[in-house]
Amino acid sequence: MAEVTDPQLRLFIERIQRLEEEKKGISDDVRDTYNEAKSQGYDPKIMRQIIRLLKMPAHDRKEMEALLDVYKCALGMEQMSLPLGVAA
């Protein structure tokens, strides 16, 4: 393999390699944290869903939850929840 002779390219490659190593380390830390939470009785799958929801803008999350309620109701999975006073 030919040696990289462009010093700027070499710096970019080395920087990317360092960042990839850091990313792997962070990924390992996240996995360890989920495992620690699991050992304390928490469900990592649910925690991942919560993290995903927290990343969403509030209006997108509310819209998704409303649609989920509509779909569950349409499938008979649960009653559509009505605000107080609406059913009266």
Side-chain angles (χ1 to χ4, degrees):
M1 181 173 210
E3 184 177 329
V4 177
T5 57
D6 184 341
Q8 187 175 17
L9 178 58
R10 181 182 297 277
L11 290 174
F12 281 129
I13 296 298
E14 289 171 354
R15 193 163 97 199
I16 291 168
Q17 285 178 314
R18 280 193 309 275
L19 290 170
E20 289 290 340
E21 289 172 11
E22 290 176 23
K23 184 169 69 171
K24 183 186 179 325
I26 290 171
S27 178
D28 291 345
D29 290 345
V30 169
R31 186 185 64 243
D32 292 345
T33 302
Y34 277 116
N35 286 335
E36 183 180 350
K38 184 177 181 177
S39 74
Q40 297 292 318
Y42 297 102
D43 187 331
K45 184 167 58 173
I46 300 302
M47 293 173 65
R48 284 184 175 86
Q49 289 178 348
I50 294 295
I51 297 295
R52 184 176 53 84
L53 290 172
L54 289 171
K55 289 179 182 179
M56 295 174 73
H59 66 278
D60 288 348
R61 186 171 56 244
K62 288 178 183 176
E63 181 180 335
M64 184 193 69
E65 289 170 349
L67 282 171
L68 186 60
D69 285 344
V70 169
Y71 284 27
K72 289 192 302 190
C73 182
L75 294 170
M77 294 173 66
E78 62 182 45
Q79 294 287 334
M80 189 88 156
S81 60
L82 298 174
L84 291 177
V86 173

